[in-house]
Amino acid sequence: MIVAAFALSALSSLSPAQVPFLVAAAKLQAERAVTICPTFRGAALEAQTSSAHELILAGPAETGKTFGLCWRFDSLLRSTPGARAAIVRRVRQDMGATVLQTWERVARMRGMPAVYGGERPEWYDYPNGARAYVIGLDRPGAVLSGELDFVLFN
């Protein structure tokens, strides 16, 4: 009740022109704060808590392999300040319609990091300083010269 009273008293001191901006900011903050934890099964479930240096998920199509690994990758970046990582696929051109759609869906569920590169993202920056690069193996120099903490191959 004290919080609600404080919020009402704070609103009464705002000009009418400031209220829409405050409401929009509150909605944006609420959207970013929503944390949904999906139900993982099988190897995707094991990947969420694995401390292995390498993880490989294999199985039939549409079983949650990419989603599970994207979730784990996003968790690692959120929990490791200053981490450098890469999302890698054989051909960069293919990423927009495949792994990046899944990656961005996961990231939006948990609070989207800043995207750099416009329509064709080049990297994602997290508030804790972590960065995830988007790289295709059709340009191997981009991968070979990087010092990376995590790599998601798709």
Side-chain angles (χ1 to χ4, degrees), residues 43-44 46-47 50 52-59 65 69 152-153:
E46 291 176 27
S50 175
H53 292 282
E54 297 176 8
L55 288 173
I56 298 175
L57 273 71
K65 299 178 303 290
L69 286 175
L152 170 63
F153 283 96

Side-chain angles (χ1 to χ4, degrees), residues 37-134:
C37 188
T39 303
F40 295 104
R41 292 181 177 86
L45 175 61
E46 291 176 27
Q48 303 314 307
T49 56
S50 175
S51 60
H53 292 282
E54 297 176 8
L55 288 173
I56 298 175
L57 273 71
E62 301 297 322
T63 56
K65 299 178 303 290
T66 300
F67 186 87
L69 286 175
C70 284
W71 189 276
R72 176 65 174 155
F73 192 69
D74 183 67
S75 296
L76 288 168
L77 288 167
R78 290 178 189 280
S79 64
T80 312
R84 292 292 175 253
I87 304 169
V88 180
R89 193 169 170 96
R90 181 177 291 171
V91 179
R92 171 62 176 92
Q93 189 68 28
D94 298 343
M95 294 178 83
T98 56
V99 67
L100 287 185
Q101 285 186 348
T102 304
W103 168 256
E104 289 189 359
R105 189 173 74 216
V106 166
R108 274 193 303 275
M109 289 172 73
R110 304 179 85 187
M112 188 73 176
V115 182
Y116 293 89
E119 293 292 318
R120 189 170 184 234
E122 294 181 32
W123 72 83
Y124 298 84
D125 277 345
Y126 284 78
N128 66 357
R131 178 175 283 182
Y133 296 96
V134 178

